[in-house]
Amino acid sequence: MTILLLVEPLLENYSELPNAITAGAKRIALADNLAVGGTTVSKGVMGEAVRYAHEHQVTLDLIIAPRGGNTPYNDVEIKMMEADLLEAQQLGVDGVIFGALTTQHQLDKEALSPLIAAAGGMTMTFSLDFDAIRPQDRGAALDWLADQGFEHILSAGTATDDRIADWTASKRLADADGLILMPANVTAQETTTLSDQLGLNLFYGQHVLNF
């Protein structure tokens, strides 16, 4: 059986968007400041990116993060993220990518709850913060995320030195909850082989599409 491969390139700001769409992207993730892991783009960029993507029948996801670096986020940062989510919703963004963990690398459910509420109507992807959750805690975390309406989980497969083993274990847990694991930080050259190995068809990152 042939699996239809899909990629979601992660772009830095608006300038790369037209080229990625010309190269065939049907899903695009957008952020600013990728050197620090990605932060939320400005309202102006948000609006123009939504307009251009939808004119070309492309799905647009936004990274929602107030700064680079690791979570946890403080109360003010959570309020910033909540405001950005409401703005994205009003502008017609299709989906959002965010996460929040405690200092113990557990889901920060107190922080996540208002963010989930603010994301109403948009698809939700849990960010690469997932990789910081201990493997033994991931099953319970995925149960909760599925219950809250998340659809996708990003993972760069960094829990061990063996990405395939890490992704395989995470995929098994995600599948049990009806979630879709999206391997991240892979190259366009790797996607076909990884699809065959993992039985997955959606890949994410800065280098999943050549353009």
Side-chain angles (χ1 to χ4, degrees):
M1 184 178 72
T2 301
I3 297 177
L4 177 64
L5 265 179
L6 299 171
V7 295
E8 181 166 356
L10 171 60
L11 309 183
E12 185 166 50
N13 227 301
Y14 179 88
S15 58
E16 296 179 312
L17 185 65
N19 289 338
I21 291 174
T22 299
K26 298 302 181 187
R27 298 175 59 100
I28 284 173
L30 194 64
D32 206 352
N33 301 307
L34 290 182
V36 295
T39 59
T40 310
V41 298
S42 70
K43 177 182 176 181
V45 170
M46 234 185 252
E48 283 303 307
V50 169
R51 180 192 61 78
Y52 192 89
H54 288 179
E55 282 179 357
H56 293 81
Q57 293 77 53
V58 169
T59 298
L60 184 71
D61 289 337
L62 286 184
I63 283 184
I64 302 293
R67 58 166 170 79
N70 297 326
T71 61
Y73 296 119
N74 63 37
D75 290 347
V76 173
E77 290 170 330
I78 293 297
K79 287 179 181 176
M80 291 176 184
M81 294 172 73
E82 194 174 354
D84 286 338
L85 284 162
L86 292 170
E87 194 71 61
Q89 185 188 93
Q90 291 169 4
L91 289 169
V93 170
D94 299 294
V96 284
I97 301 166
F98 62 92
L101 302 180
T102 66
T103 53
Q104 288 77 42
H105 304 292
Q106 305 276 349
L107 291 179
D108 190 342
K109 296 176 183 177
E110 184 179 349
L112 286 167
S113 292
L115 301 180
I116 291 164
M122 298 181 288
T123 62
M124 294 186 295
T125 297
F126 196 78
S127 71
L128 285 169
D129 285 343
F130 177 77
D131 286 337
I133 300 172
R134 296 183 305 171
Q136 60 266 38
D137 296 329
R138 290 181 177 180
L142 290 171
D143 291 346
W144 189 86
L145 292 171
D147 286 344
Q148 304 308 308
F150 279 82
E151 294 186 13
H152 298 90
I153 306 294
L154 292 178
S155 174
T158 54
T160 70
D161 292 334
D162 186 342
R163 290 190 308 168
I164 301 299
D166 189 10
W167 280 326
T168 300
S170 295
K171 179 182 183 294
R172 190 179 305 117
L173 295 171
D175 285 350
D177 281 314
L179 295 163
I180 298 171
L181 184 76
M182 290 175 62
N185 299 350
V186 300
T187 66
Q189 290 72 30
E190 294 176 299
T191 54
T192 300
T193 299
L194 289 174
S195 179
D196 291 341
Q197 290 176 304
L198 299 169
L200 292 168
N201 74 326
L202 181 56
F203 297 89
Y204 168 97
Q206 289 177 256
H207 306 294
V208 291
L209 182 68
N210 294 324
F211 64 93

